[in-house]
Amino acid sequence: MSLRLLARRATRRLPWLISLPVTVGAALLGLALLPAILFVPLAAEDQLVFALGCFLLFLVANRFEGRAASAFLAVLSLCVTARYLHWRLTETITPDTPWQAFFMYGLVLAEIYAGIAMFLGYFQTLWPLNRKPVPMPRDVESWPEVDVYIPSYNESLDVVRPTVLAALAMDWPAEKLKVWILDDGRRPEFRRFAEESGCGYIIRGDNKGAKAGNINHALKHTKAPFIAIFDCDHVATRAFLQLTLGWLIRDSRLAMVQTPHHFYSPDPFERNLTAGRDVPNEGQMFYGMVQPGNDLWDAAFFCGSCAVIRREALEEVGGVPHQTVTEDCHCSLKMQRRGWRTAYLRVPLASGLATERLLIHIGQRMRWARGMIQIFRVENPLFASGLRLGQRLCYFSATFYYLFAIPRLVFLTSPLAFLLLGQNVIAASPLAIAAYAGSHVVHAVGTGSRLSGRVRHSFWSEIYETVMVFYLLPLTFVTLLNPAKGKFNVTDKGGLLPEGYYDLRAVWPNMVLTVLLLTGVGFGIRGLFLHPSDSLEFQAYLLNGLWAAMCLVPVIAGVAVGRERRQIRASARSQAEVPVELVTADGTVVGGMTRNLSLGGAALVLEDDAVPPLGEVRAQFVLGDGKVEVPATVLRAVEHDVSLSFSPATLEEHGAIVRLVFSRADAWVGAMDHEQDRPLRSLVNVVRAAGAAFVGKTGLFRPPRRPAAAA
C-alpha cells in the first residue's frame, strides 16, 4: 500500500480520532461535575437562573434529530428531576404537626414514585427496536402446522363469527391450519356454526382457570407445534401467519411473536371526548412505543391475543398460568425466566372491538391493574431468577406503573391541603417551588413529547388516570395486602346504545373532586384579595390556586367522558378506499370507490354521473388478490354518494364480507401513525374537549336524540 493511500486514510479518520478522546473527556468531565450539578444548593433566584439555562439547553438540543439528541434530553430531564427530588428531601420537609407531616411525606413519596416511573419510561421508550417481519421459506411444504385458538365464554355468535371466518381464510396451506372455537359457554349454536364452517370445536366440563384454563385444556386436544391465539372479537388479516411465523421458524429459542391490539371501533374516551381529533387512544402508547422498547431488551410480553406461541415453550412452563388475572403477561414472564426469547412486530395484523361503555372500560382496566399488581407481589420481576437486567426493568416497569392511583390522587388533592385546611405541603418559598418544580415538569413533558409524541399526546394520559384513580385506589391496597384475591372477568363487547345518557355511576367521584377543587380555587382567589401582593401569603395562595386550577383540567375532562353518546350501528365503520363496481338488475355497471366499510354496509363515492337505482345490486370489490362479490342493497343515492347495506344469505357470503372489511393485507396500514404531539396545543385540545363535552354541540346538557334508522 502506498504512503499516499495511507496518508489519505489517516486524514479521513483524523476527525474521528480527534473527536473520540474529546467525547470521552467530556463525558468524564460531565460525570465529575454531576454531583455538583445535582446536589449543590442554590438560592431561589439562582435556581431560577439555572432552570432557565437548562430550558435553553433543551430548546437547542431539541432542534437536533436522532436518538443521540433524544438520549441527551432524557439524561438532562433525569438530572433536573434528580436535583428537584434532592432539594425536596433535604430542604422542604419540616413538619410542625403530625397532620402536616402526613401531607408533606405523602407528596414527596408520590414524587419519588413519579421520578422512578419516569426513569423506567425513558429506559423502555428511548430506543424502540421496530423489528421487521422475516420472509417465510420458499418451500411451502416446509411450513409448519398451526392451531388457531379462539376462546369464547359469553359473547354472541355475531361477535365470534367474523373472527372464525377470517382465521379460516388466512393465507396458509389448508392441510396445515386448524381453527378451534374454545367454547367455555358450551352453546349449541356455536357447535352448529363450527360444523357448518369446518372449524374445530372444544368444550370442557367446567370453567376452572377461566381463559387460561380454557387454553390449557385445548393444549391437551391439539398437536400443532405453533398456536395462534385470538380473542373472539379480534379479526385477523389474511397475512397474519405469514408475517409472524418467519421469526419463529428462524429462531428455535423464540417462544412467542406478539402483534398490536388494534381496535376499529372507538373506545369511550375517543367517542365521548376527542370528537374526531387526531389523538392517539390509550393503548397506542403501549403498542406503539413500550412494546417495541421492551423488544430491544428481549422483554416483549404476551398480551392474550393476536400472538403466535411455540407449543414447546408453553408446555415447558405448564401452560398459561392462572394464579393472576393477567395470565398473558405472567405467561411470557415464566417463559423468559426459563431462557426463552420473545419478539414484537409493530404491525397491526388484526383488529377488534374496543370497550363500548365507560364502566365496562373501567372494569377491564381494573382487571389489568389487579393482575399486574399480583405479579408485582407474587413474582416480583425485579428480583426473579433467570432474567437479565433489561428484562427485570421492563417487567418491573409494567407492574410498578399500576400503582399510579395512589400518587395520582396525592397530586390532585395536595393543593387543597393549603387552600382548604391551611397546611403547607412544601416548606419553601413559592419562588423556590416554581424554580425547582417548574423545571422538572417542563423537562418531563417536553422530553416525553419528543420520545412518544406520535403515540401519546401530552396531558391525555392524565385524563385516563384521573378517571381510574378512585376505582383503583381500594383495589391497589387490597391486592398489595392479599394478591390471591380477585378473579378473571370477561369484557362485554358488541352492545348497542339507542339513546345517549350521562353515566353518573362512572364519574361521580370525579364530580366530588371537581367541587372540592373549585372550592379550593375560590379560597385561593379570596386569599389573593386578603393579602398584599408582595407578601409570601399572596404568593402561596397564587401558587396553590394555579395548581388546583391545573388539576381541574383532567378532572373536568374525566367528568365529561361520562357523557355516553348513542351507538345505533350494529357494526362500527372504518375508513377504507377500495375500488368497487355495482352491477344492477339490468346489467348496468357503475364504478366507484369506498369511503368506509363495515360488516353491515359501505359508503361509496361514484366515479361518474350514473346513479344506481335504490334496491338490490351485486357489489364487486377489487382487492389485491382478486375480487370479492357481495349482495347488497342501495339505501341512498345522492349525486356521487351512495350508501349500501350488505345482505349476505350464505356462510360463504359472510366470509366474503369479512375478507373485504377485515382481512385485506393492507387493512390497518398506518393505523398507528399520528401527527407529532405539541404539548401546548395538546393542553388546549384537552381544555376544549372538556368544555365542548359540557356546553358544545354534544354537551352534557343537550337532550338525547331519538334513534334513527341506520344501515
Side-chain angles (χ1 to χ4, degrees), residues 6-25:
L6 287 172
R8 186 180 302 164
R9 290 189 176 181
T11 302
R12 282 202 303 265
R13 295 180 181 179
L14 187 59
W16 181 83
L17 293 172
I18 294 175
S19 65
L20 179 61
V22 171
T23 303
V24 173

Side-chain angles (χ1 to χ4, degrees), residues 252-255 310 312-313 316 335-336 338-341:
S252 62
R253 290 300 297 172
L254 191 65
R310 190 183 300 270
E312 179 187 354
E316 186 176 319
M335 290 191 292
Q336 291 188 308
R338 294 280 189 128
W340 290 94
R341 290 186 288 274

